[in-house]
Amino acid sequence: MSKKLSKAYEPQNFEPTVYQLWEQGKVFATPKSFSTNKVSAETPEGAKEEQKLSDRQRLSNFQNDHHFSILMPPLNANGNMHIGHSLAVSLQDILCRWKRSNGVPTSYIPGLDHAGLETWVVFERKLNEQGKSRFDYDRDTLYKMTWDFVEEHKSNIELQMRASGIGADWDSQFYTLDANIRDQVYETFHKMWQDGLIYRGERIVNYSTKYQTGYADIEVDYKEEKGFLWDVAYDIKGTDQKIVVSTTRPETILGDTAVAVSPEDSRYRDLIGASAIVPLVGREIPIIADEYADPTYGTGAVKITPAHDPNDFEVGNRHDLPRITVIGYDGLMTPEAGQDFAGLTVEKARQKILKDLENEGRIVEKRKIVHTVGYDYKSGLPIQPLLKEQWFINMRPLAKRAIEVIKSGRIKFYPESKATVLCNYLENLRDWNLSRQIPWGIPIPAYRSEEGEWIFNANTDQAQIEQGGIVYYRDEDVFDTWFSSGQLPICVMPDGYTPISVMETGGDILFPWVSRMIMLSLYMTDEVPFDEVYLHGMVLDEKGQKMSKSKGNVVNPMETVAKYGSDALRMGLVASRSAGQSQAFGTDKVVAGRNLCNKLWNMSRLTINLVGENYIRYDGFATDKERGSGKVALNEPIEHWIVAKCLMTKINIDKLLDEYRFAEAAEVLYGLIWGDVADWFLESEKMYENNDLLAWVLEYVLKLAHPFIPFATEAIWQVLPWTDGILASEKWNEKDFIIARASVAEISTIGFERLQDFIIETRRILNDLPKGKYKLLYGQDELLKTNEKLIQKLSHVHEISFTDAILEGRRKEILPIVVEGREAWLEVPANVKEDYLSGVRTRLSILEQEIAGLERRLINPNYVDKAPKELVKETEKTLSEKKSMAEKLCSYLGEG
RNA sequence: GGGUCGCUAGCUCAGUUGGCUAGAGCAUCUCGUUUACACCGAGAGGGUCGGGGGUUCGAGUCCCUCGCGACCCACCA
């Protein structure tokens, strides 16, 4: 080997330069013009060739799509890639590279997320570490500081994306705070405002006292917990009667403004309209009748705290009850809670009130219960339901339309079941709180006058504006990030690339993101945002457990890339994974991926070695007349076979990827590379040295493998002396395909498979024999005769020769190789023959059972009548083959 | 309470509309250094497809039922 290629593939030595090559070559740029390069039957030459093909051979694998587009779920501009991101972008990139290679105009749009609260939390922590707080600055200053902070870190994630081999259109990269996105968000907000879908109102919102902001429903983590249900006795005014209510949150008693009972509940009928006295506080509150009170739960009487419970809030609205806020936004009790309680934490207040109630003898019962408690998804602290005036979207009309579209099947889901899941979710969707009380995000374009009148205005860089002589003040809040990211499909895709072909993302953001994209897109454009949705599951650790920092089982993808290579990580992630399913991930799979890269590398070294440094590349595929004219020509059975394998594998992979069966596609590819090309074809070509075919097969395999193993295949492509250009921008040429296919002689491919069977059996026998040099003899067998040398090479027999003697296994030192249709023997020492024959006996008895089974099936008239004719024929054929095989075995045993 | 998914070889998983002997990778065992690769080659062992019932000529696949596991949703105070 003249060129010094290392024995092992070393990804670190190639990945950065390969990526540079791609980027400089602009191979991932979104094509502007839409001339599909379909050759197919439209060219006269192609048509002629195509006509020769049977239906089975016809190429159906070239995509007819007008375009292919993917929107990358934006990555946190301030964060690091985690293993889930790696999986996502791997799948996306496989699809894009594959489509691109099939000549489909492809647009893969990458993006970065300002990541609202996520980033704000990080920034605020940094601020606090410097001894500052958010209250030291005005909102615009905080926004600018956070912006600069993110800018400093952006390049980090951008490098990680490139290290992952993502072939995205970097020139079209977006950032979720870009002006066009903001404009879109404002337009949508304005339209909703005008359509009456947006309203501002005081509602109970899920409030994070840790981060001082309201949340959407979806940001609350509910956990089932053991807790207590206290029964507390309230006095009834003017009597010595008491009414006993049940509560899990006694501290909210301080904010009670009513006690509700069911109108159906005979126990309390007489008390309706009476007044109860709030314990410790002494406030007089009405006893009201409301359906909300469940007579079967607790005591059947429930305290109503409209300011701290969404249900109570509703009850309060129905009965016009006052709202008394006793827990503040800081998570501490308010002055309204009374002097004894003001300033206490919720937990302390609860302890105190329980003690006080106990002292007064008001706690009638304390029961252990299991109930669900809402937690802040970010801080892990309890969420407080608090009264707050916020912007809400009335989701019902939006959800209704989305449900219709999903049920119509217009958007296809992988896995299919997620469509049902999504519809269930949408059917129960409640109004969406858009306001976040943090400085980092897209400001809400609403201004308020002193009188409390709200107007829309998109110039949110002004803290206050004047209109008609009235001064309006900007809402200090920003949008929920899902509101803006839900609109990405309608504002970041290049012209001609919508709807997005497939939305590939994690199953965990089906509700927060996918559902919103559908709803908002339908609302704004009357069109679906994407044709298909592919949801991947979670990447679990080796033991199948969720990865988490606290468990310490988190895999850092960049470390894996550094150690095993980017391709190895990609193959490892894709292997054994199906849509929607969470899957364990471990080093084993990555190692397998790395080994495949290495295999490919060495296959290439061998090929270069065989064809020579100065090989001049073949000029297309030879038709029958063109043999020997610098074109690829097929001579040996294995050469026909390998070409057929290559062609079939591509068709197969196309089909699998079309259905998003990534793991199966990878497996099929693995089988072709390792099993067919390396183990059989290359071994054989050491003898035949059909250089043009060697080069053709290697290039073919590289092209086919490229979406899965982009770096290694490109690195090899660049190393090959006879190729030029960039593999990532190579396209399959349909015309060549047709000619290649026409050149394959079916007889030869079948012939090779027979040969394979024989070689495998010979190897098996040799493996069982004691070490030694064995001689293979064959009789009147054309296949063996014409492939004598190949058999010797591949089966590792020491000698091979024809014999016209009638052997039939009579002699003790002759051992028959029992393969259907073959006449061959091994010369062996007499003592080993007996061992082999006992194995033959076992095989015979298995064979006899199989024959009996097949015969039974064929005797059954139901089977013969009802099963498809082809299948019956097949069964008959199998039976006769097995019978003749059994006869042969019998004869050997009889004679031996 | 409602919903979704899963249970196939020691492990991780394939198995499309029911149809030849249920597959792959890893792991295990045996043999091997044949001029690309030990990140290798040749071979072997290993499964009553979670249990039970049903439909069918035929079930891992369809239906019913039970069991186990994972996850999601929901305002039982």
Side-chain angles (χ1 to χ4, degrees):
Chain A
M1 216 176 290
S2 61
K3 206 163 195 170
K4 294 270 185 325
L5 294 181
S6 64
K7 250 175 115 169
Y9 172 61
E10 288 150 359
Q12 314 80 335
N13 294 347
F14 293 97
E15 289 180 2
T17 46
V18 161
Y19 203 92
Q20 250 175 15
L21 182 76
W22 290 334
E23 212 164 355
Q24 282 159 5
K26 298 252 177 220
V27 297
F28 309 130
T30 300
K32 291 284 184 302
S33 76
F34 266 59
S35 55
T36 48
N37 74 337
K38 282 192 71 190
V39 196
S40 80
E42 277 150 41
T43 64
E45 211 176 331
K48 234 188 277 169
E49 294 292 341
E50 180 123 3
Q51 270 175 7
K52 289 193 215 157
L53 304 172
S54 70
D55 280 348
R56 197 177 69 78
Q57 289 174 311
R58 201 171 297 277
L59 294 159
S60 57
N61 51 331
F62 278 84
Q63 306 300 316
N64 298 315
D65 305 2
H66 184 53
H67 75 264
F68 185 75
S69 56
I70 286 191
L71 167 67
M72 183 192 296
L75 302 182
N76 184 346
N78 190 54
N80 289 299
M81 277 183 77
H82 60 65
I83 198 84
H85 292 136
S86 301
L87 171 62
V89 298
S90 294
L91 298 178
Q92 291 155 19
D93 192 52
I94 286 172
L95 290 174
C96 289
R97 286 182 191 264
W98 164 62
K99 286 285 180 177
R100 225 177 265 127
S101 77
N102 274 344
V104 181
T106 296
S107 182
Y108 184 13
I109 302 301
L112 294 179
D113 192 358
H114 71 281
L117 184 67
E118 304 289 318
T119 299
W120 172 249
V121 165
V122 174
F123 179 73
E124 193 175 31
R125 192 181 305 142
K126 200 191 138 206
L127 211 57
N128 293 343
E129 277 164 13
Q130 294 168 348
K132 307 272 185 178
S133 94
R134 67 162 95 175
F135 303 108
D136 295 338
Y137 306 91
D138 67 27
R139 197 194 75 176
D140 290 337
T141 310
L142 286 169
Y143 183 89
K144 200 177 171 305
M145 287 165 78
T146 316
W147 177 283
D148 293 341
F149 174 69
V150 172
E151 285 304 305
E152 273 174 47
H153 296 92
K154 242 181 185 174
S155 60
N156 183 41
I157 190 91
E158 285 172 340
L159 283 173
Q160 294 182 4
M161 283 153 92
R162 282 164 176 80
S164 305
I166 299 171
D169 181 1
W170 297 114
D171 290 341
S172 303
Q173 179 177 324
F174 64 88
Y175 180 40
T176 52
L177 294 177
D178 286 343
N180 62 319
I181 296 173
R182 172 190 295 221
D183 291 347
Q184 177 63 56
V185 168
Y186 287 177
E187 194 190 322
T188 306
F189 183 77
H190 195 203
K191 182 166 154 52
M192 287 180 160
W193 180 312
Q194 287 170 327
D195 290 348
L197 283 175
I198 290 226
Y199 63 92
R200 185 162 176 97
E202 196 182 40
R203 292 294 127 95
I204 295 287
V205 300
N206 306 299
Y207 199 85
S208 164
T209 52
K210 165 89 179 177
Y211 299 121
Q212 307 263 301
T213 178
Y215 277 167
D217 291 345
I218 211 155
E219 287 165 310
V220 183
D221 264 348
Y222 289 96
K223 284 184 199 156
E224 220 169 57
E225 274 187 2
K226 284 179 191 160
F228 295 100
L229 184 67
W230 288 276
D231 289 353
V232 183
Y234 287 29
D235 293 333
I236 294 175
K237 193 192 170 194
T239 71
D240 48 9
Q241 272 183 284
K242 295 195 179 353
I243 186 164
V244 180
V245 303
S246 305
T247 182
T248 52
R249 296 171 64 210
E251 67 279 10
T252 62
I253 285 176
L254 303 170
D256 281 356
T257 54
V259 170
V261 298
S262 166
E264 312 294 320
D265 197 334
S266 55
R267 289 175 293 178
Y268 299 114
R269 193 161 292 156
D270 296 344
L271 296 176
I272 294 168
S275 293
I277 308 294
V278 180
L280 308 176
V281 181
R283 185 167 51 242
E284 209 175 290
I285 58 173
I287 297 175
I288 57 173
D290 195 283
E291 296 288 350
Y292 167 65
D294 176 0
T296 65
Y297 192 87
T299 60
V302 57
K303 58 189 253 356
I304 302 297
T305 320
H308 294 292
D309 183 281
N311 292 306
D312 294 7
F313 179 81
E314 297 294 325
V315 174
N317 281 352
R318 286 199 284 273
H319 298 271
D320 210 18
L321 299 172
R323 301 164 188 160
I324 299 173
T325 296
V326 292
I327 303 168
Y329 298 131
D330 51 5
L332 303 178
M333 302 307 283
T334 63
E336 281 184 281
Q339 275 203 326
D340 292 350
F341 294 95
L344 294 182
T345 64
V346 170
E347 191 45 46
K348 287 229 171 83
R350 176 176 298 185
Q351 282 159 16
K352 176 165 169 50
I353 201 165
L354 284 171
K355 207 170 132 201
D356 292 355
L357 289 170
E358 191 76 54
N359 289 342
E360 290 194 9
R362 294 194 176 274
I363 295 191
V364 179
E365 192 155 2
K366 179 184 179 186
R367 270 173 283 201
K368 280 186 187 172
I369 55 153
V370 174
H371 63 151
T372 49
V373 180
Y375 285 91
D376 180 341
Y377 80 103
K378 187 84 189 130
S379 72
L381 298 169
I383 280 286
Q384 288 299 337
L386 297 180
L387 268 185
K388 193 144 184 74
E389 203 183 287
Q390 306 268 277
W391 292 101
F392 291 90
I393 302 183
N394 171 9
M395 296 303 279
R396 232 170 280 159
L398 299 178
K400 189 171 168 252
R401 201 159 163 207
I403 292 167
E404 280 164 17
V405 166
I406 294 163
K407 287 201 169 148
S408 77
R410 171 67 183 83
I411 301 175
K412 221 173 158 192
F413 284 80
Y414 296 84
E416 229 174 326
S417 60
K418 294 288 181 188
T420 321
V421 174
L422 186 52
C423 283
N424 282 344
Y425 168 75
L426 290 171
E427 264 155 33
N428 302 311
L429 198 55
R430 300 194 303 164
D431 289 357
W432 177 14
N433 171 17
L434 288 180
S435 304
R436 292 294 172 279
Q437 290 74 51
I438 54 172
W440 184 233
I442 298 182
I444 295 179
Y447 287 73
R448 183 181 183 272
S449 72
E450 297 282 8
E451 282 72 40
E453 184 208 356
W454 285 94
I455 58 165
F456 172 86
N457 194 299
N459 293 323
T460 48
D461 46 348
Q462 315 271 338
Q464 60 185 74
I465 54 169
E466 206 188 302
Q467 217 173 71
I470 302 168
V471 180
Y472 293 87
Y473 301 92
R474 185 181 57 198
D475 183 359
E476 290 289 286
D477 293 348
V478 299
F479 282 115
D480 181 343
T481 46
W482 294 116
F483 183 67
S484 47
S485 53
Q487 299 178 52
L488 292 173
I490 52 184
C491 56
V492 301
M493 299 309 288
D495 287 345
Y497 286 92
T498 54
I500 292 163
S501 307
V502 52
M503 188 63 238
E504 193 290 330
T505 191
D508 54 336
I509 51 176
L510 176 63
F511 298 160
W513 197 38
V514 176
S515 75
R516 297 197 195 224
M517 285 190 284
I518 297 173
M519 289 186 283
L520 293 173
S521 200
L522 286 171
Y523 177 66
M524 288 307 283
T525 68
D526 283 323
E527 182 49 287
V528 293
F530 29 69
D531 294 319
E532 307 196 326
V533 178
Y534 177 92
L535 297 164
H536 60 257
M538 226 177 297
V539 181
L540 306 173
D541 78 353
E542 241 154 338
K543 290 173 194 151
Q545 292 183 314
K546 247 188 201 178
M547 288 188 189
S548 73
K549 274 181 198 159
S550 55
K551 279 187 204 150
N553 58 354
V554 176
V555 175
N556 177 348
M558 289 307 127
E559 282 173 14
T560 308
V561 166
K563 196 164 172 199
Y564 298 97
S566 188
D567 299 330
L569 174 65
R570 179 177 292 206
M571 284 298 279
L573 282 167
V574 167
S576 294
R577 191 174 289 277
S578 55
Q581 224 57 51
S582 293
Q583 231 102 82
F585 167 80
T587 329
D588 282 359
K589 292 177 183 177
V590 180
V591 168
R594 180 209 47 188
N595 292 355
L596 182 66
C597 295
N598 188 58
K599 189 72 185 179
L600 216 43
W601 176 254
N602 276 292
M603 283 162 63
S604 311
R605 287 174 67 215
L606 175 62
T607 303
I608 295 169
N609 204 0
L610 289 172
V611 305
E613 280 298 320
N614 303 317
Y615 168 71
I616 296 164
R617 190 173 188 261
Y618 59 88
D619 172 28
F621 219 90
T623 58
D624 287 347
K625 291 170 214 153
E626 294 170 324
R627 294 171 141 270
S629 57
K631 301 197 175 216
V632 179
L634 307 180
N635 309 313
E636 307 295 329
I638 191 174
E639 298 179 343
H640 286 266
W641 173 81
I642 196 68
V643 171
K645 277 280 177 193
C646 285
L647 298 175
M648 275 158 51
T649 306
K650 164 144 173 52
I651 291 170
N652 209 349
I653 288 179
D654 280 346
K655 206 178 126 219
L656 289 166
L657 285 183
D658 212 36
E659 294 166 22
Y660 306 110
R661 296 159 168 253
F662 298 95
E664 284 170 76
E667 203 175 299
V668 166
L669 176 71
Y670 192 99
L672 177 76
I673 295 174
W674 211 303
D676 301 332
V677 176
D679 292 345
W680 291 97
F681 174 68
L682 287 180
E683 286 305 322
S684 308
E685 288 300 329
K686 283 177 183 169
M687 220 171 77
Y688 300 133
E689 301 205 28
N690 180 343
N691 289 351
D692 294 328
L693 184 60
L694 275 163
W696 184 87
V697 168
L698 181 63
E699 288 175 32
Y700 191 100
V701 162
L702 290 174
K703 228 151 100 176
L704 199 54
H706 184 255
F708 298 87
I709 310 172
F711 282 113
T713 48
E714 186 71 71
I716 293 167
W717 189 267
Q718 297 306 322
V719 159
L720 293 182
W722 65 86
T723 54
D724 45 38
I726 296 174
L727 178 60
S729 53
E730 285 282 316
K731 309 249 185 292
W732 293 99
N733 183 331
E734 192 169 17
K735 197 183 108 191
D736 263 6
F737 243 75
I738 293 165
I739 299 171
R741 185 157 278 260
S743 310
V744 172
E746 197 128 346
I747 302 276
S748 302
T749 65
I750 293 169
F752 180 71
E753 278 164 11
R754 293 263 154 89
L755 212 53
Q756 247 182 334
D757 291 344
F758 177 76
I759 291 167
I760 288 168
E761 176 64 6
T762 308
R763 282 173 180 169
R764 209 181 60 77
I765 297 170
L766 287 173
N767 241 292
D768 287 346
L769 297 177
K771 270 190 240 179
K773 293 179 175 176
Y774 293 97
K775 185 175 181 184
L776 182 82
L777 299 166
Y778 62 88
Q780 293 299 342
D781 191 322
E782 204 51 34
L783 188 68
L784 299 189
K785 190 173 178 185
T786 47
N787 294 285
E788 209 186 49
K789 286 265 147 52
L790 185 67
I791 292 166
Q792 184 180 5
K793 179 164 178 48
L794 295 183
S795 65
H796 303 138
V797 290
H798 188 247
E799 262 183 277
I800 182 165
S801 73
F802 170 74
T803 175
D804 53 3
I806 300 167
L807 297 169
E808 298 297 329
R810 258 179 222 120
R811 277 155 49 193
K812 284 230 181 296
E813 64 278 19
I814 294 296
L815 190 147
I817 297 174
V818 188
V819 175
E820 174 61 21
R822 302 278 77 81
E823 297 290 329
W825 305 266
L826 276 173
E827 276 188 4
V828 296
N831 60 329
V832 301
K833 185 177 176 184
E834 207 38 52
D835 289 346
Y836 179 70
L837 286 184
S838 80
V840 171
R841 273 184 213 105
T842 316
R843 280 173 68 191
L844 182 62
S845 76
I846 292 168
L847 205 54
E848 278 166 347
Q849 280 170 28
E850 286 169 2
I851 289 169
L854 290 173
E855 279 174 338
R856 236 178 288 131
R857 200 184 297 177
L858 285 169
I859 287 167
N860 185 341
N862 283 323
Y863 175 70
V864 180
D865 293 349
K866 291 182 186 171
K869 276 179 191 161
E870 284 170 14
L871 191 71
V872 177
K873 260 188 195 163
E874 194 67 40
T875 312
E876 282 164 352
K877 196 180 148 205
T878 314
L879 179 62
S880 78
E881 277 173 13
K882 288 198 189 286
K883 272 184 166 170
S884 86
M885 186 75 190
E887 269 170 42
K888 202 164 178 180
L889 290 179
C890 274
S891 78
Y892 286 136
L893 289 170
E895 286 157 12

